[in-house]
Amino acid sequence: MNINASIIGASGYTGLELINILSLHPNVTLKYLVSRSNSGKKVADLYPSLYALGNKEFSHPSVEEIAKQSDVVFLALPHGESASFAGKLYDLGVKVIDLSADFRYDSLELYENTYGITHPRKDLNDKAVYGLCEIYRNNIKKARLVANPGCYTTCSILPLYPLLKEGIIKSNSIIIDAKSGISGAGRKAKTDYIFCETSENFKAYSLTNHRHTSEIEEKLSIAANRPITLSFSPHLLPIKRGILCTIYAALSNINADIETIYNDFYKNEPFVKILPETLLPEIKNVAGSNDIQIGFIKDKRLNRLIIVSCLDNLIKGASGQAAQNMNIMFGMEETAALKFSARYI
Amino acid sequence: MNINASIIGASGYTGLELINILSLHPNVTLKYLVSRSNSGKKVADLYPSLYALGNKEFSHPSVEEIAKQSDVVFLALPHGESASFAGKLYDLGVKVIDLSADFRYDSLELYENTYGITHPRKDLNDKAVYGLCEIYRNNIKKARLVANPGCYTTCSILPLYPLLKEGIIKSNSIIIDAKSGISGAGRKAKTDYIFCETSENFKAYSLTNHRHTSEIEEKLSIAANRPITLSFSPHLLPIKRGILCTIYAALSNINADIETIYNDFYKNEPFVKILPETLLPEIKNVAGSNDIQIGFIKDKRLNRLIIVSCLDNLIKGASGQAAQNMNIMFGMEETAALKFSARYI
Amino acid sequence: MNINASIIGASGYTGLELINILSLHPNVTLKYLVSRSNSGKKVADLYPSLYALGNKEFSHPSVEEIAKQSDVVFLALPHGESASFAGKLYDLGVKVIDLSADFRYDSLELYENTYGITHPRKDLNDKAVYGLCEIYRNNIKKARLVANPGCYTTCSILPLYPLLKEGIIKSNSIIIDAKSGISGAGRKAKTDYIFCETSENFKAYSLTNHRHTSEIEEKLSIAANRPITLSFSPHLLPIKRGILCTIYAALSNINADIETIYNDFYKNEPFVKILPETLLPEIKNVAGSNDIQIGFIKDKRLNRLIIVSCLDNLIKGASGQAAQNMNIMFGMEETAALKFSARYI
Amino acid sequence: MNINASIIGASGYTGLELINILSLHPNVTLKYLVSRSNSGKKVADLYPSLYALGNKEFSHPSVEEIAKQSDVVFLALPHGESASFAGKLYDLGVKVIDLSADFRYDSLELYENTYGITHPRKDLNDKAVYGLCEIYRNNIKKARLVANPGCYTTCSILPLYPLLKEGIIKSNSIIIDAKSGISGAGRKAKTDYIFCETSENFKAYSLTNHRHTSEIEEKLSIAANRPITLSFSPHLLPIKRGILCTIYAALSNINADIETIYNDFYKNEPFVKILPETLLPEIKNVAGSNDIQIGFIKDKRLNRLIIVSCLDNLIKGASGQAAQNMNIMFGMEETAALKFSARYI
């Protein structure tokens, strides 16, 4: 099998990762790398790490042209802007993997409240499948429009989903203390992200009001079959890649066998690694890979469960998961082009 | 006024910081810099940043000689070992500031359980004053033996103390998610701390069983006048210096005026900066200084208070606070040699 | 003695460092902190590390008002713009320390060629003294206008000056391979300087055409009393502060006693540390201080001298040297407010 | 084709990289991962990034057993120790790729002087081929014992070889100012390499006497067909991976067409990227890949050529080149398992 893939918004960091992954994929030909601001520039001039692409250029063709030449289009565009492109491509019959938040929500109202935007393609929201591969695989197989989850979201939902489904977590006890590398902010020329302002620093931001909170709550409420509210507290780590979430939850049953619940739920999952109790994951063990690692520890003294989950925000939290979704949508081997190990160093 | 100060365990990072601070102090002469392993070596050969010390050497005199030549002795020694030195120096009439945990606990039993050590100088435990300057200043003034608090401890107790005293925090709701720079581990040749294992990494460690937990709980229980238990979760940041604690607590009264409570409690404190609600401190704003900055935000939706506190683990969390204790003990200006600003860059 | 000091261009990193230094100076009152873009904003809101400044604000008064209230004005402005301000302030009788390149050159032609600017105050160029304290101290004492040297320049000239004066270096053999921390680029919101583009990276830039080349060549030609040309190759280190220059030169006399030449030339200099042969300085030994450290090694096999010099680009390479110039100009203790040690950690 | 590969000294960083590469190789089965100190431990317990290896363990079988089960053995052992293993394996008929220095030298005398060791297998030195793939490919094809070049060496020889062969560089004018990431020092628990001693630091080391100097000189003398001596000055960068060399050389002919010389010499080389004149490589463009990038600039004013070369010390500088050698030795596709792009971020 061979398919043609294009990327709209190809010149940012998620674009770069998608290019990295797709150019090694045995069944994929990279077609259009769309970037308005870099149109006409060689990809290898912007990212000299990609010199193997030779003279391949960023371009800016019409949506129709992109649709005509592509079997699948990845959208790495800002929220709001993405839905319009996704809609047009969908209408033209191409499969779409949207890395923005535009089709992530079951509730359009929640989306609009969270992002302060009137959704431009409300009609398509029901067609979209939430692309959290391990949970929605069966729907993704048949989907023509996949909404790729957020990075924090993936790192939060995967460790909590099985436990909430199992009903062993007390209502409203969940706190997610999340720490992310700076690539989560993309390739923005902002003083806040220059080296001298970020290195040797650490800070919290968007406490109580980060947008991923509502996305996490919506999906976990489905898992729990009751409304879940929680604290989500992001922090900025002085590293390039990786997210680590330290998750606190009160157990309704302190004797629940967490390890078995996890292993049953995630058995055979190639990208989910459950660690034995008390062993904890670290960012270097997942950065550069499509893996999520999950560790946990019960604090019997306080009847509290502490979970630590880790992934690479640009891979499992964005472009890797997007490629995994593509693999599922096209019936290709799910791990194709995604088998590389984490960096460690 | 001029006093002579010596440091036992002078060649580690807390020693280095003490030397840095004390050598700029207008009322202090550095006497003995004691280091068994580096005895006879020039200080400036080990730490060439200190070349202004000229030919000053590490030495290893007898405790009696140290006592004779010193008005105050700082102990930067491992737990257990420190108490014996402290005891001898105390017996010889010298004022002692012990940076170890040996005299930090009111309860000897809690100390012995936490550190797995039989305390060698139980007789002195009642004489020791806990050197958290802002809380115990009046006792420190009269103390001959001060137990300098731990770094995590200072960053945890100062933001929680006034609120627990005020009785506005629900029992057993406190979670301290703490993140520390690597200098907290000292100057140890351990694979875990080499650059390639720590840079671009982040991890949790000692979840549910870090030793500072019991120190924090004991002091906060005094503040609350009831037993406080809490989760304390340390993490390792890829930075040299600084601790940031994100603290979660359920409010018994969501309308409590946190800012006023803080400002009343810490008014006139030169090293405590309370930020206006929703403004949050960052490590770069305190690293390199003796300051602690405290910010907070109420999450009314979840009836939860989130506090963020920051300090430099080697200064306010160790050597700076030790010097502040010395200033208080000797009736010198409390900010002497401690007025330098944080680094920012 | 007490003098009033103002800073124009106070909100950048050199401004921040000047504020840090001057606010600890026993003889200086900070008057105006001038910043057009941040006028009206509290200094501590931009740099929360400076909260000890209380409500002190950036402002934007007229040059006349600044002159009236100040004994000395520091200019931390872009090249070209600075000369006009310097000129007006000079005309109004205030002492000026200009951190830009505008008055650094003996040859106006060389300045204009290097910076591509018509000098707006050619008339003042002869009045200006080059503020390399250790070399021009006697002239600085009497100066009303001091041109503070560049960071790379200071790190290059100080180690080479005595050897060229002594005539032991072969013509045109000098190569300066220089490496600088990112704060050298200032506080600019540029993609090139964001964390993800700089951390774990290293690169050369401006090879063969960096502007500091001509400044270094002019001053060294004076030392040598013949025209000196050299290669100056800057690189960007993934650190905040510090410059290290590795300098190569062919010796005309391999038996020349380098250590003695250095020690004779720099004896009694409080901020210059000559290391014994083969011992080499490192950035951590000078970062955060006003020191320059110089080490060297003779390669007898190749008849080549290798010198390694280090300083903090924001302190000895900018604001610290500026304060040192002020101390000299006003007859204050030269080390006042500059005695702090390097960071090491 | 399928071959069995074993690694002796598998638990260090070069071992980790070899495992990473070989486990993705379509024609290779990993057989023994030999580590005396970690024998019996799961690989994924030491390096949790490798959890895809499942229960695969480090082991410590006899050399005979390793030879019996392996078609090729990689040696990642200390100098001196390696030659004995290599010799035994060679005698047993297995192909050997030795990552140590033991068989790198044509001159045994130069090796023994440089490493201060009596070579234990002098008899094999003539059988060994220097594994610099781009230069010695034809000999490597037939070799049974390949001496993999050093990291600094590869980064120095590849850019200089064509120019020396062409005879356009003046004798004894070469200076290589080299900067390496910390992984070059391996996984050693040494105070010098802990985060607090290395981050925000930069230093030179082993000036005039680094061991790679003689290896570089020997190979370049062959290229030039006359004795080449040069300065090689290594520095330690606060990054994990990557080497950048800034190379200075006087041109005997300033009009030499460097770009054409390079492009002719390296045309069709999959891992060598020559940049157009004045464009310079950066470490992030090669780190994580098997690429070397080479840029250059002529300084006509000084008749000097400046070359900048970059590679990943653990990949092209060690394990990647070792795998490339294996591919050549076994007639497999030379780029197999080595096509991954550099990290960039």
Side-chain angles (χ1 to χ4, degrees), chain D residues 131-148:
Chain D
L132 193 61
C133 308
E134 288 74 14
I135 312 285
Y136 296 95
R137 183 177 288 116
N138 285 333
N139 294 331
I140 296 165
K141 281 180 188 166
K142 298 167 284 186
R144 283 178 47 212
L145 170 54
V146 164
N148 215 55

Side-chain angles (χ1 to χ4, degrees), chain A residues 177 197 231 246 248 304 344, chain B residues 177 197 231 235 248 304 344:
Chain A
D177 195 277
E197 300 283 323
S231 288
T246 311
Y248 301 88
R304 201 171 264 152
Y344 193 85
Chain B
D177 194 277
E197 300 283 323
S231 288
H235 299 73
Y248 301 88
R304 202 171 266 153
Y344 193 85

Side-chain angles (χ1 to χ4, degrees), chain A residues 172-179 192 196-209 213 217 228-233 235 237-241 244 246 248 280-285 287 297-299 301-302 304 306 308 310 343-345, chain B residues 172-179 192 196-209 213 217 228-233 235 237-241 244 246 248 280-285 287 297-299 301-302 304 306 308 310 343-345:
Chain A
N172 305 325
S173 70
I174 299 171
I175 290 171
I176 303 170
D177 195 277
K179 302 88 174 173
D192 281 4
C196 289
E197 300 283 323
T198 48
S199 177
E200 286 288 313
N201 192 34
F202 182 69
K203 66 171 177 179
Y205 66 98
S206 300
L207 295 194
T208 76
N209 62 12
T213 313
E217 288 181 344
I228 296 293
T229 56
L230 49 78
S231 288
F232 174 72
S233 303
H235 298 72
L237 284 168
I239 65 173
K240 292 186 173 185
R241 293 157 167 270
L244 183 146
T246 311
Y248 301 88
L280 299 176
E282 309 184 14
I283 279 180
K284 69 183 171 189
N285 298 339
I297 186 163
K298 267 190 216 170
D299 189 342
R301 190 176 70 111
L302 303 176
R304 201 171 264 152
I306 308 181
V308 178
C310 275
R343 292 179 176 181
Y344 193 85
I345 43 168
Chain B
N172 305 325
S173 70
I174 298 172
I175 290 171
I176 303 170
D177 194 277
K179 300 90 174 173
D192 281 3
C196 289
E197 300 283 323
T198 48
S199 177
E200 287 287 315
N201 192 36
F202 182 67
K203 65 171 177 179
Y205 66 99
S206 300
L207 296 194
T208 76
N209 62 12
T213 313
E217 288 182 345
I228 295 293
T229 57
L230 48 79
S231 288
F232 173 72
S233 303
H235 299 73
L237 284 168
I239 64 173
K240 292 187 173 185
R241 291 157 167 271
L244 184 146
T246 311
Y248 301 88
L280 299 176
E282 310 184 12
I283 280 180
K284 69 183 170 190
N285 299 339
I297 187 162
K298 267 190 217 171
D299 189 342
R301 191 175 70 111
L302 304 176
R304 202 171 266 153
I306 309 180
V308 178
C310 275
R343 292 178 176 182
Y344 193 85
I345 43 169

Side-chain angles (χ1 to χ4, degrees), chain C residues 254-274:
Chain C
I254 191 66
N255 295 315
D257 182 349
I258 309 294
E259 197 164 343
T260 298
I261 294 173
Y262 274 140
N263 283 328
D264 285 355
F265 196 88
Y266 289 122
K267 68 167 170 276
N268 304 323
E269 285 299 341
F271 298 117
V272 182
K273 170 69 181 169
I274 305 300

